[in-house]
Amino acid sequence: GNSVTQMEGPVTLSEEAFLTINCTYTATGYPSLFWYVQYPGEGLQLLLKATKADDKGSNKGFEATYRKETTSFHLEKGSVQVSDSAVYFCALSDQGFQKLVFGTGTRLLVSP
Amino acid sequence: DVKVTQSSRYLVKRTGEKVFLECVQDMDHENMFWYRQDPGLGLRLIYFSYDVKMKEKGDIPEGYSVSREKKERFSLILESASTNQTSMYLCASSGPRELFFGEGSRLTVL
């Protein structure tokens, strides 16, 4: 079946550092890929998505590129802020926004 | 502004109690979902519904049931709560462009 593997956290960075959170997936066919973010005390919010190979999703300075050859969708940001501290979830779906499969989540802690 | 509202943010129940978790969405979405979130395990799908009075099992349905009597409301039911059901429960609804989550209900079963 479909599955998502994320790097374990927490990831601890200083403000303005470069961020990479790794995500790889296993799926039959051509799924859509997503990154969701969960700020403390809140539900999950869609951060960005990509629906086909080589697509790049971007939002709020975050980017991720759908790499079919390496089955990866790594999240990057050039300069993190304290306000980016949150848990980040990689997810996939082969049915649009129905029945997403989530990774285990990666906690990001950014210090001033 | 779109809204998925979960009725209780925090609940404490005793083993064997019947527990209802309520979720309401105001976006006229057909699809609604219940996930549980546990550290190190991420989100796991319990049940979902594509329409009123329709339900399908997700990956971990054991010990849970659901009810969808109206389009906007999707309830998760724990018939007899157990300590291993202590968790964060997240409701979601989806349209063609996005999956929207509620803020979650943290359930503790003593």
Side-chain angles (χ1 to χ4, degrees), chain A residues 6-90:
Chain A
Q6 291 183 234
M7 62 188 292
E8 291 203 17
V11 173
T12 305
L13 295 172
S14 298
E15 206 164 24
E16 299 183 1
F18 184 86
L19 168 71
T20 300
I21 300 178
N22 290 338
C23 171
T24 57
Y25 67 90
T26 302
T28 54
Y30 303 95
S32 295
L33 301 174
F34 309 87
W35 277 100
Y36 278 81
V37 59
Q38 185 179 35
Y39 298 104
E42 298 184 13
L44 278 71
Q45 304 171 28
L46 178 65
L47 181 59
L48 53 84
K49 67 178 181 181
T51 57
K52 62 182 187 297
D54 300 325
D55 265 3
K56 177 185 283 189
S58 61
N59 186 25
K60 299 181 181 180
F62 291 89
E63 294 183 338
T65 301
Y66 189 152
R67 301 284 188 201
K68 189 173 185 301
E69 64 276 13
T70 54
T71 61
S72 65
F73 193 54
H74 304 322
L75 182 68
E76 296 181 336
K77 187 175 185 182
S79 175
V80 294
Q81 305 301 311
V82 172
S83 57
D84 293 327
S85 297
V87 181
Y88 292 82
F89 292 90
C90 185

Side-chain angles (χ1 to χ4, degrees), chain A residues 36 38 41 43-44 46 49 89 95 97-100 102-104, chain B residues 9 31 33 35 37 40 42-43 48 50 94 97-99 101-102:
Chain A
Y36 278 81
Q38 185 179 35
L44 278 71
L46 178 65
K49 67 178 181 181
F89 292 90
Q95 300 179 53
F97 279 101
Q98 300 176 17
K99 293 191 69 177
L100 268 67
F102 287 86
T104 53
Chain B
R9 293 294 303 274
N31 306 322
F33 307 83
Y35 289 88
Q37 181 182 4
L43 275 71
F48 61 101
Y50 289 143
S94 74
R97 297 190 178 278
E98 193 165 337
L99 181 70
F101 282 87

Side-chain angles (χ1 to χ4, degrees), chain B residues 11-51:
Chain B
L11 303 94
V12 179
K13 299 291 181 181
R14 297 208 173 273
T15 301
E17 281 193 75
K18 190 170 185 176
V19 181
F20 292 87
L21 299 179
E22 306 285 343
C23 175
V24 176
Q25 51 98 359
D26 64 359
M27 295 164 281
D28 201 35
H29 286 161
E30 293 181 346
N31 306 322
M32 297 188 74
F33 307 83
W34 275 105
Y35 289 88
R36 78 177 266 178
Q37 181 182 4
D38 299 288
L41 297 176
L43 275 71
R44 293 178 291 167
L45 183 63
I46 305 171
Y47 267 96
F48 61 101
S49 170
Y50 289 143
D51 203 349

